[in-house]
Amino acid sequence: MSPIELNQRQDKILQIVKEKGPITGEKIAEHLNLTRATLRPDLAILTMAGFLDARPRVGYIYSGKKTMAALTESMMNLKVKDFQSLPVVVSENMTAYDAICQMFLEDVGTLFVVDERSRLQGVLSRKDLLRTSIGTQAITKIPVHIIMTRMPNIVYCHKNDSLVHAAKKLIDRQVDSLPVVEEREDGLEIVGRITKTNITKAFISLAETNDL
Ligand code: ADP
């Protein structure tokens, strides 16, 4: 996902409008020794992307607003570490029953399962626990390591990753949450959690940024 790149002619158009705006398409074409028709696609792109404002009977003016390109750049600058939540971890031997209680107590939809060295071993979702609850197994006996999704099938991210990339992982893998991890010699240490709620909050914060 790269920001919009302008071609040389579009850059020149922006320069002209900055210096001489408001200015008609006709006049911009004259400056560039081109026909108005040739410029039409460039002007359309620059207007759509928010670089220029087209005012009827006045002409084009340079838009002071943040452009699409800059907006894309701001989005790519959002980092996992600035939006992550605290992870909720449980041990591999916790029973499904206790895991359900833990989910209610901590008010989360996903638990991360760790071994005795606190390294990531698995992920437990609401539906993993529901599936077990409606099955025949005794939920007060069955340990979570039997029913969790386990390594190496866990999708995770790092704190310096862009939030957009983390969001893409959530969507591509159709999961609600990613552990934020740091690599250690003996496995992955969980340092945070990214959920669809974090992504929604980031989306709101972008819209509320004053300099947009
Ligand atoms: P739910 O099952 O409550 O809808 P999810 O969509 O997050 O919640 O989980 C769907 C399945 O994917 C579950 O079996 C869960 O264990 C697994 N899962 C959840 N998060 C991850 C992840 N980050 N990596 C791999 N598997 C995951």
Side-chain angles (χ1 to χ4, degrees), residues 164-184:
V164 172
H165 286 134
K168 197 161 179 324
K169 282 185 182 171
L170 286 174
I171 294 300
D172 287 350
R173 294 293 293 260
Q174 300 186 9
V175 293
D176 291 344
S177 156
L178 299 179
V180 183
V181 302
E182 279 176 16
E183 268 89 7
R184 299 279 175 252

Side-chain angles (χ1 to χ4, degrees), residues 52-70:
L52 297 182
D53 265 347
R55 300 265 167 88
R57 288 182 300 278
V58 177
Y60 292 93
I61 54 169
Y62 185 74
S63 170
K65 277 187 295 185
K66 208 169 196 185
T67 61
M68 270 311 271

